[in-house]
Short mmCIF file of all heavy atoms in Angstrom, two decimals:
data_model
loop_
_atom_site.label_atom_id
_atom_site.label_comp_id
_atom_site.label_asym_id
_atom_site.label_seq_id
_atom_site.Cartn_x
_atom_site.Cartn_y
_atom_site.Cartn_z
N GLU A 468 -13.14 -23.48 -16.98
CA GLU A 468 -12.90 -24.22 -18.16
C GLU A 468 -11.54 -24.09 -18.79
O GLU A 468 -11.07 -22.90 -18.92
CB GLU A 468 -14.01 -23.95 -19.16
CG GLU A 468 -13.73 -24.64 -20.56
CD GLU A 468 -14.59 -24.17 -21.60
OE1 GLU A 468 -15.49 -23.32 -21.44
OE2 GLU A 468 -14.46 -24.71 -22.82
N HIS A 469 -10.84 -25.14 -18.98
CA HIS A 469 -9.58 -25.06 -19.60
C HIS A 469 -9.59 -24.78 -21.09
O HIS A 469 -10.33 -25.35 -21.75
CB HIS A 469 -8.75 -26.40 -19.36
CG HIS A 469 -7.48 -26.56 -20.15
ND1 HIS A 469 -7.45 -27.18 -21.37
CD2 HIS A 469 -6.20 -25.99 -19.91
CE1 HIS A 469 -6.31 -27.03 -21.76
NE2 HIS A 469 -5.57 -26.34 -21.03
N LEU A 470 -8.68 -23.73 -21.40
CA LEU A 470 -8.65 -23.30 -22.85
C LEU A 470 -7.25 -23.62 -23.50
O LEU A 470 -7.23 -24.00 -24.65
CB LEU A 470 -9.01 -21.85 -22.97
CG LEU A 470 -10.39 -21.61 -22.47
CD1 LEU A 470 -10.61 -20.00 -22.44
CD2 LEU A 470 -11.43 -22.13 -23.21
N VAL A 471 -6.19 -23.31 -22.76
CA VAL A 471 -4.83 -23.39 -23.38
C VAL A 471 -3.88 -23.97 -22.21
O VAL A 471 -3.85 -23.53 -21.09
CB VAL A 471 -4.33 -22.05 -23.88
CG1 VAL A 471 -2.91 -22.18 -24.30
CG2 VAL A 471 -5.11 -21.54 -25.07
N SER A 472 -2.96 -24.82 -22.69
CA SER A 472 -1.90 -25.28 -21.94
C SER A 472 -0.67 -25.28 -22.93
O SER A 472 -0.72 -25.83 -23.98
CB SER A 472 -1.99 -26.63 -21.23
OG SER A 472 -3.01 -26.62 -20.30
N ALA A 473 0.43 -24.64 -22.48
CA ALA A 473 1.65 -24.70 -23.37
C ALA A 473 3.03 -24.64 -22.50
O ALA A 473 3.02 -24.03 -21.34
CB ALA A 473 1.59 -23.37 -24.22
N LYS A 474 3.96 -25.40 -23.05
CA LYS A 474 5.24 -25.49 -22.34
C LYS A 474 6.09 -24.31 -22.63
O LYS A 474 6.20 -23.86 -23.70
CB LYS A 474 5.92 -26.75 -22.66
CG LYS A 474 7.26 -26.92 -21.72
CD LYS A 474 7.72 -28.44 -22.06
CE LYS A 474 8.21 -28.61 -23.42
NZ LYS A 474 9.02 -29.83 -23.53
N LEU A 475 6.69 -23.73 -21.52
CA LEU A 475 7.76 -22.72 -21.65
C LEU A 475 9.12 -23.34 -21.32
O LEU A 475 9.25 -24.42 -20.70
CB LEU A 475 7.53 -21.54 -20.70
CG LEU A 475 6.18 -20.90 -20.90
CD1 LEU A 475 5.92 -19.78 -19.81
CD2 LEU A 475 5.90 -20.38 -22.30
N GLY A 476 10.14 -22.61 -21.62
CA GLY A 476 11.51 -23.09 -21.27
C GLY A 476 12.29 -23.84 -22.29
O GLY A 476 11.59 -24.58 -23.00
N LEU A 477 13.48 -23.53 -22.45
CA LEU A 477 14.26 -24.20 -23.43
C LEU A 477 14.72 -25.66 -23.10
O LEU A 477 15.08 -26.51 -24.00
CB LEU A 477 15.55 -23.36 -23.75
CG LEU A 477 15.27 -21.82 -24.15
CD1 LEU A 477 16.65 -21.16 -24.29
CD2 LEU A 477 14.58 -21.83 -25.33
N VAL A 478 14.82 -25.94 -21.74
CA VAL A 478 15.25 -27.24 -21.40
C VAL A 478 14.28 -27.81 -20.37
O VAL A 478 14.63 -28.64 -19.57
CB VAL A 478 16.73 -27.19 -20.82
CG1 VAL A 478 17.73 -26.81 -21.85
CG2 VAL A 478 16.76 -26.06 -19.63
N ASN A 479 12.96 -27.54 -20.42
CA ASN A 479 11.96 -27.97 -19.47
C ASN A 479 11.68 -29.50 -19.85
O ASN A 479 10.96 -29.72 -20.84
CB ASN A 479 10.68 -27.07 -19.67
CG ASN A 479 9.63 -27.50 -18.66
OD1 ASN A 479 9.77 -28.36 -17.88
ND2 ASN A 479 8.69 -26.60 -18.51
N ASN A 480 12.17 -30.40 -19.02
CA ASN A 480 11.99 -31.85 -19.31
C ASN A 480 11.37 -32.74 -18.21
O ASN A 480 11.22 -33.87 -18.26
CB ASN A 480 13.41 -32.37 -19.55
CG ASN A 480 14.18 -32.40 -18.31
OD1 ASN A 480 13.89 -31.88 -17.24
ND2 ASN A 480 15.32 -33.26 -18.33
N TYR A 481 10.75 -32.01 -17.12
CA TYR A 481 10.31 -32.88 -16.10
C TYR A 481 8.97 -33.66 -16.40
O TYR A 481 8.67 -34.59 -15.62
CB TYR A 481 10.05 -31.91 -14.81
CG TYR A 481 8.69 -31.41 -14.74
CD1 TYR A 481 7.70 -32.05 -13.91
CD2 TYR A 481 8.15 -30.26 -15.40
CE1 TYR A 481 6.41 -31.54 -13.73
CE2 TYR A 481 6.93 -29.69 -15.14
CZ TYR A 481 6.01 -30.45 -14.34
OH TYR A 481 4.71 -29.98 -14.26
N ALA A 482 8.20 -33.22 -17.31
CA ALA A 482 6.93 -33.81 -17.66
C ALA A 482 6.93 -34.57 -18.89
O ALA A 482 7.92 -34.31 -19.81
CB ALA A 482 5.88 -32.83 -17.77
N SER A 483 6.09 -35.55 -19.15
CA SER A 483 6.00 -36.34 -20.36
C SER A 483 4.91 -35.84 -21.25
O SER A 483 4.69 -36.49 -22.29
CB SER A 483 5.78 -37.79 -20.08
OG SER A 483 4.63 -37.89 -19.23
N GLY A 484 4.21 -34.75 -21.02
CA GLY A 484 3.27 -34.26 -21.92
C GLY A 484 2.08 -33.66 -21.19
O GLY A 484 2.23 -33.19 -20.01
N ILE A 485 0.91 -33.38 -21.79
CA ILE A 485 -0.20 -32.69 -21.28
C ILE A 485 -1.38 -33.69 -21.48
O ILE A 485 -1.59 -34.41 -22.54
CB ILE A 485 -0.46 -31.46 -21.94
CG1 ILE A 485 0.73 -30.50 -21.62
CG2 ILE A 485 -1.74 -30.83 -21.42
CD1 ILE A 485 0.53 -29.27 -22.49
N HIS A 486 -2.15 -33.93 -20.41
CA HIS A 486 -3.35 -34.67 -20.45
C HIS A 486 -4.27 -34.30 -21.56
O HIS A 486 -4.46 -33.10 -21.77
CB HIS A 486 -4.07 -34.79 -19.21
CG HIS A 486 -3.39 -35.60 -18.16
ND1 HIS A 486 -3.32 -37.01 -18.17
CD2 HIS A 486 -2.72 -35.31 -16.95
CE1 HIS A 486 -2.66 -37.47 -17.04
NE2 HIS A 486 -2.29 -36.43 -16.37
N PRO A 487 -4.89 -35.26 -22.30
CA PRO A 487 -5.90 -34.90 -23.31
C PRO A 487 -7.03 -34.13 -22.89
O PRO A 487 -7.43 -34.27 -21.73
CB PRO A 487 -6.12 -36.25 -23.97
CG PRO A 487 -5.96 -37.26 -22.90
CD PRO A 487 -4.73 -36.71 -22.08
N GLU A 488 -7.84 -33.50 -23.76
CA GLU A 488 -8.95 -32.79 -23.44
C GLU A 488 -10.09 -33.70 -23.13
O GLU A 488 -11.14 -33.09 -22.65
CB GLU A 488 -9.38 -31.89 -24.68
CG GLU A 488 -8.31 -30.82 -25.03
CD GLU A 488 -8.36 -29.74 -23.69
OE1 GLU A 488 -9.45 -29.47 -23.23
OE2 GLU A 488 -7.20 -29.33 -23.27
N ASP A 489 -10.21 -34.85 -23.44
CA ASP A 489 -11.24 -35.79 -23.43
C ASP A 489 -11.39 -36.47 -21.93
O ASP A 489 -12.17 -37.39 -21.72
CB ASP A 489 -11.37 -36.87 -24.44
CG ASP A 489 -9.97 -37.69 -24.29
OD1 ASP A 489 -9.20 -37.54 -23.57
OD2 ASP A 489 -10.10 -38.77 -25.23
N LYS A 490 -10.59 -35.94 -20.97
CA LYS A 490 -10.83 -36.41 -19.58
C LYS A 490 -12.19 -36.06 -19.04
O LYS A 490 -12.77 -35.09 -19.35
CB LYS A 490 -9.73 -35.80 -18.70
CG LYS A 490 -8.25 -36.44 -19.11
CD LYS A 490 -8.14 -37.92 -18.59
CE LYS A 490 -6.67 -38.39 -18.75
NZ LYS A 490 -6.55 -39.69 -18.33
N PRO A 491 -12.64 -36.97 -18.09
CA PRO A 491 -14.11 -36.80 -17.75
C PRO A 491 -14.26 -35.67 -16.82
O PRO A 491 -15.36 -35.22 -16.52
CB PRO A 491 -14.48 -38.07 -17.19
CG PRO A 491 -13.17 -38.67 -16.72
CD PRO A 491 -12.07 -38.26 -17.70
N THR A 492 -13.11 -35.16 -16.14
CA THR A 492 -13.31 -34.25 -15.12
C THR A 492 -12.63 -32.88 -15.41
O THR A 492 -11.55 -33.07 -16.13
CB THR A 492 -12.83 -34.74 -13.63
OG1 THR A 492 -11.43 -35.08 -13.86
CG2 THR A 492 -13.65 -35.87 -13.21
N LEU A 493 -13.09 -31.79 -14.91
CA LEU A 493 -12.45 -30.50 -15.28
C LEU A 493 -11.06 -30.42 -14.89
O LEU A 493 -10.15 -30.13 -15.52
CB LEU A 493 -13.17 -29.44 -14.57
CG LEU A 493 -12.59 -28.03 -14.60
CD1 LEU A 493 -12.50 -27.50 -16.07
CD2 LEU A 493 -13.31 -27.05 -13.72
N ASP A 494 -10.66 -30.88 -13.71
CA ASP A 494 -9.29 -30.67 -13.07
C ASP A 494 -8.26 -31.59 -13.90
O ASP A 494 -7.13 -31.36 -13.82
CB ASP A 494 -9.27 -31.10 -11.67
CG ASP A 494 -9.71 -32.56 -11.40
OD1 ASP A 494 -10.91 -32.76 -11.54
OD2 ASP A 494 -8.82 -33.43 -11.13
N ALA A 495 -8.78 -32.52 -14.75
CA ALA A 495 -7.76 -33.40 -15.47
C ALA A 495 -7.49 -32.82 -16.79
O ALA A 495 -6.53 -33.34 -17.41
CB ALA A 495 -8.27 -34.76 -15.59
N ARG A 496 -8.23 -31.90 -17.31
CA ARG A 496 -8.12 -31.35 -18.61
C ARG A 496 -6.92 -30.48 -18.65
O ARG A 496 -6.78 -29.50 -17.94
CB ARG A 496 -9.27 -30.82 -19.18
CG ARG A 496 -10.50 -31.77 -19.39
CD ARG A 496 -11.54 -31.24 -20.37
NE ARG A 496 -12.19 -30.03 -19.67
CZ ARG A 496 -13.40 -30.05 -19.01
NH1 ARG A 496 -14.00 -31.19 -18.93
NH2 ARG A 496 -13.91 -28.90 -18.49
N GLY A 497 -6.05 -30.56 -19.72
CA GLY A 497 -4.90 -29.59 -19.86
C GLY A 497 -3.82 -29.74 -18.88
O GLY A 497 -2.99 -28.84 -18.79
N GLN A 498 -3.99 -30.77 -17.94
CA GLN A 498 -2.92 -30.83 -16.92
C GLN A 498 -1.60 -31.48 -17.40
O GLN A 498 -1.62 -32.33 -18.21
CB GLN A 498 -3.45 -31.58 -15.73
CG GLN A 498 -4.56 -30.85 -15.00
CD GLN A 498 -5.03 -31.65 -13.83
OE1 GLN A 498 -5.30 -32.92 -13.96
NE2 GLN A 498 -5.14 -31.11 -12.66
N VAL A 499 -0.53 -31.20 -16.87
CA VAL A 499 0.81 -31.72 -17.03
C VAL A 499 0.92 -33.12 -16.64
O VAL A 499 0.47 -33.43 -15.50
CB VAL A 499 1.93 -30.87 -16.43
CG1 VAL A 499 3.28 -31.52 -16.81
CG2 VAL A 499 1.83 -29.42 -17.03
N LYS A 500 1.49 -34.00 -17.42
CA LYS A 500 1.81 -35.48 -16.95
C LYS A 500 3.10 -35.46 -16.41
O LYS A 500 4.05 -35.21 -17.06
CB LYS A 500 1.65 -36.29 -18.19
CG LYS A 500 0.35 -36.53 -18.94
CD LYS A 500 0.48 -37.35 -20.07
CE LYS A 500 -0.79 -37.63 -20.84
NZ LYS A 500 -0.57 -38.63 -22.01
N ARG A 501 3.09 -35.78 -15.06
CA ARG A 501 4.37 -35.93 -14.47
C ARG A 501 5.16 -37.19 -15.00
O ARG A 501 4.66 -38.24 -15.12
CB ARG A 501 4.16 -36.05 -12.92
CG ARG A 501 5.18 -36.71 -12.12
CD ARG A 501 4.86 -36.73 -10.67
NE ARG A 501 5.71 -37.70 -9.96
CZ ARG A 501 5.17 -38.98 -9.73
NH1 ARG A 501 4.08 -39.31 -9.97
NH2 ARG A 501 6.00 -39.77 -9.08
N ASN A 502 6.39 -37.01 -15.20
CA ASN A 502 7.31 -38.15 -15.59
C ASN A 502 8.04 -38.59 -14.28
O ASN A 502 8.92 -37.92 -13.84
CB ASN A 502 8.32 -37.62 -16.59
CG ASN A 502 9.27 -38.83 -17.00
OD1 ASN A 502 9.17 -39.99 -16.44
ND2 ASN A 502 10.01 -38.48 -18.01
N PRO A 503 7.66 -39.83 -13.75
CA PRO A 503 8.21 -40.33 -12.56
C PRO A 503 9.66 -40.45 -12.58
O PRO A 503 10.43 -40.43 -11.53
CB PRO A 503 7.46 -41.49 -12.17
CG PRO A 503 6.94 -41.92 -13.63
CD PRO A 503 6.63 -40.61 -14.30
N PHE A 504 10.27 -40.66 -13.85
CA PHE A 504 11.70 -40.84 -13.98
C PHE A 504 12.48 -39.65 -13.73
O PHE A 504 13.69 -39.60 -13.71
CB PHE A 504 11.97 -41.47 -15.33
CG PHE A 504 11.37 -42.88 -15.51
CD1 PHE A 504 10.21 -43.05 -16.32
CD2 PHE A 504 11.94 -44.02 -14.91
CE1 PHE A 504 9.64 -44.26 -16.44
CE2 PHE A 504 11.45 -45.28 -14.96
CZ PHE A 504 10.25 -45.46 -15.89
N LYS A 505 11.77 -38.43 -13.69
CA LYS A 505 12.45 -37.22 -13.42
C LYS A 505 12.30 -36.86 -11.93
O LYS A 505 12.76 -35.74 -11.53
CB LYS A 505 11.88 -36.13 -14.34
CG LYS A 505 12.18 -36.31 -15.76
CD LYS A 505 13.70 -36.26 -15.99
CE LYS A 505 14.11 -36.37 -17.55
NZ LYS A 505 15.52 -36.39 -17.72
N ASP A 506 11.71 -37.65 -11.16
CA ASP A 506 11.70 -37.25 -9.64
C ASP A 506 13.11 -37.46 -9.12
O ASP A 506 13.95 -38.20 -9.69
CB ASP A 506 10.82 -38.35 -9.06
CG ASP A 506 9.35 -38.15 -9.19
OD1 ASP A 506 8.96 -37.07 -9.83
OD2 ASP A 506 8.48 -38.99 -8.87
N ALA A 507 13.38 -36.80 -8.15
CA ALA A 507 14.66 -37.03 -7.39
C ALA A 507 14.79 -38.39 -6.94
O ALA A 507 13.95 -39.19 -6.36
CB ALA A 507 14.73 -36.12 -6.11
N THR A 508 16.02 -39.06 -7.20
CA THR A 508 16.38 -40.44 -6.84
C THR A 508 17.55 -40.45 -6.14
O THR A 508 18.43 -39.39 -6.17
CB THR A 508 16.36 -41.19 -8.24
OG1 THR A 508 17.44 -40.69 -8.99
CG2 THR A 508 15.10 -41.21 -8.98
N ILE A 509 17.87 -41.55 -5.63
CA ILE A 509 19.11 -41.66 -4.77
C ILE A 509 20.29 -41.64 -5.59
O ILE A 509 21.30 -40.93 -5.32
CB ILE A 509 19.04 -42.99 -4.02
CG1 ILE A 509 18.05 -42.83 -2.84
CG2 ILE A 509 20.41 -43.22 -3.26
CD1 ILE A 509 17.83 -44.21 -2.01
N PRO A 510 20.35 -42.32 -6.83
CA PRO A 510 21.50 -42.17 -7.70
C PRO A 510 21.54 -40.73 -8.47
O PRO A 510 22.67 -40.42 -8.99
CB PRO A 510 21.40 -43.30 -8.62
CG PRO A 510 19.90 -43.68 -8.61
CD PRO A 510 19.46 -43.34 -7.29
#
Side-chain angles (χ1 to χ4, degrees):
E468 177 189 355
H469 166 260
L470 301 174
V471 174
S472 293
K474 183 169 73 170
L475 307 177
L477 303 178
V478 291
N479 188 349
N480 72 346
Y481 94 94
S483 58
I485 297 175
H486 284 289
E488 290 293 320
D489 58 357
K490 288 288 183 177
T492 58
L493 170 66
D494 58 289
R496 295 197 294 261
Q498 290 178 316
V499 177
K500 293 181 182 179
R501 163 179 156 260
N502 182 352
F504 295 104
K505 292 299 180 180
D506 291 349
T508 59
I509 293 175

